[in-house]
Amino acid sequence: MKKTAVSFIVLLAAFAFTAQAQDTTRAMKIQDDEAGSASPFALQVHLGEGWGNYPGVDADATTAHWITSGGVSGHYALNSRWSLWLGLDYQYRLTKGYSISDMTEGLEQIPFTKKAHYFCLPLQLEYEGPRWFYLHAGPYVERAYDRWIAANAFEVCVVGGMLGTGAHFRLAPQSELRAGLTFSVGSQLKRYEQYEYDYSTKTYKEKGLSDIKVQKFSYFNAMFQVGYLYRFTR
């Protein structure tokens, strides 16, 4: 009897949720019809603030990584729930920490602040729920404005994957406000300039670039983003 009651409650809840989803979908369709024929294209602008972990910035002596981002993305609706979007983000990364110097008086901690400018290109597949939530995932590639991470090493690029979720609130038939969290992991691709010592001239000569080396899962970022999305009409 208890199992029957539980099953009935589950079925009733599922039926109520389905009915509500259908009502929400119908309401959105009526709004779209009133506003005109909807286009599959949409444009979103967003700002974000978060925390990140990335190499080449004295990781052993780092006390904080902070990221401020802004960007734009173009969306193409595959159907009423799924869409594909391509974005371009700018990220300003600030790292604070300290370096340890061996002084005559002993070890001394010297504070430092480093800044980096990154450009990120994400390609995401997104699902919009029948009520308020969205979920997107996909790959990304990014590159630093100043790629040098050491005197003889530079970052080719970073490749990885993103996963984001949040809420969207309709402001008007064609526009909505979005807020959510995006997590990303990435691997750094880097190369080194190789040198060899010439004993005849007693100088170092360039030997060429090394093969691309991959530092797996060297990046992990968590970002809170707020955006405004506008859906075009035909």
Side-chain angles (χ1 to χ4, degrees), residues 53-57 59 149 155 157-159 185-192 212-219:
N53 177 28
Y54 39 96
V57 285
I149 57 178
E155 180 183 271
C157 66
V158 175
V159 294
V185 294
S187 298
Q188 184 187 47
L189 280 62
K190 55 187 177 181
R191 299 185 74 172
Y192 293 87
I212 294 178
K213 301 180 183 298
V214 180
Q215 186 175 350
K216 296 181 179 179
F217 305 117
S218 52
Y219 280 43

Side-chain angles (χ1 to χ4, degrees), residues 98-142:
Y98 59 87
S99 56
I100 301 176
S101 298
D102 190 2
M103 311 294 288
T104 54
E105 298 82 4
L107 297 178
E108 182 179 353
Q109 295 182 357
I110 302 175
F112 70 83
T113 299
K114 293 185 178 181
K115 303 172 183 178
H117 304 274
Y118 269 81
F119 294 92
C120 179
L121 192 70
L123 177 62
Q124 304 286 288
L125 180 65
E126 181 173 281
Y127 173 78
E128 277 199 11
R131 307 242 353 179
W132 53 267
F133 79 95
Y134 67 84
L135 179 70
H136 63 79
Y140 76 92
V141 60
E142 67 179 21

Side-chain angles (χ1 to χ4, degrees), residues 19-211:
Q20 180 62 43
Q22 291 174 348
D23 289 342
T24 303
T25 302
R26 281 197 295 270
M28 293 175 66
K29 185 178 186 304
I30 290 172
Q31 288 179 336
D32 290 337
D33 290 342
E34 289 175 350
S37 179
S39 167
F41 296 100
L43 186 69
Q44 178 181 239
V45 293
H46 61 265
L47 297 173
E49 192 76 21
W51 173 89
N53 177 28
Y54 39 96
V57 285
D58 297 328
D60 292 339
T62 297
T63 58
H65 290 298
W66 295 103
I67 303 174
T68 300
S69 72
V72 60
S73 57
H75 297 228
Y76 180 81
L78 303 175
N79 54 43
S80 61
R81 290 282 171 254
W82 294 91
S83 63
L84 188 67
W85 60 267
L86 179 67
L88 176 62
D89 289 354
Y90 162 74
Q91 295 183 355
Y92 172 77
R93 299 179 176 177
L94 180 67
T95 302
K96 291 186 177 182
Y98 59 87
S99 56
I100 301 176
S101 298
D102 190 2
M103 311 294 288
T104 54
E105 298 82 4
L107 297 178
E108 182 179 353
Q109 295 182 357
I110 302 175
F112 70 83
T113 299
K114 293 185 178 181
K115 303 172 183 178
H117 304 274
Y118 269 81
F119 294 92
C120 179
L121 192 70
L123 177 62
Q124 304 286 288
L125 180 65
E126 181 173 281
Y127 173 78
E128 277 199 11
R131 307 242 353 179
W132 53 267
F133 79 95
Y134 67 84
L135 179 70
H136 63 79
Y140 76 92
V141 60
E142 67 179 21
R143 187 169 178 176
Y145 175 75
D146 182 5
R147 297 184 297 147
W148 289 94
I149 57 178
N152 67 329
F154 65 91
E155 180 183 271
V156 178
C157 66
V158 175
V159 294
M162 285 184 175
L163 175 65
T165 185
H168 59 96
F169 309 96
R170 186 166 277 216
L171 302 175
Q174 277 78 44
S175 62
E176 62 183 53
L177 181 66
R178 293 182 160 214
L181 290 171
T182 298
F183 303 93
S184 61
V185 294
S187 298
Q188 184 187 47
L189 280 62
K190 55 187 177 181
R191 299 185 74 172
Y192 293 87
E193 284 191 349
Q194 297 179 316
Y195 300 89
E196 61 181 355
Y197 187 73
D198 189 337
Y199 289 94
S200 61
T201 60
K202 297 182 179 180
T203 59
Y204 285 94
K205 292 184 178 181
E206 292 186 4
K207 190 178 178 181
L209 295 175
S210 65
D211 295 333

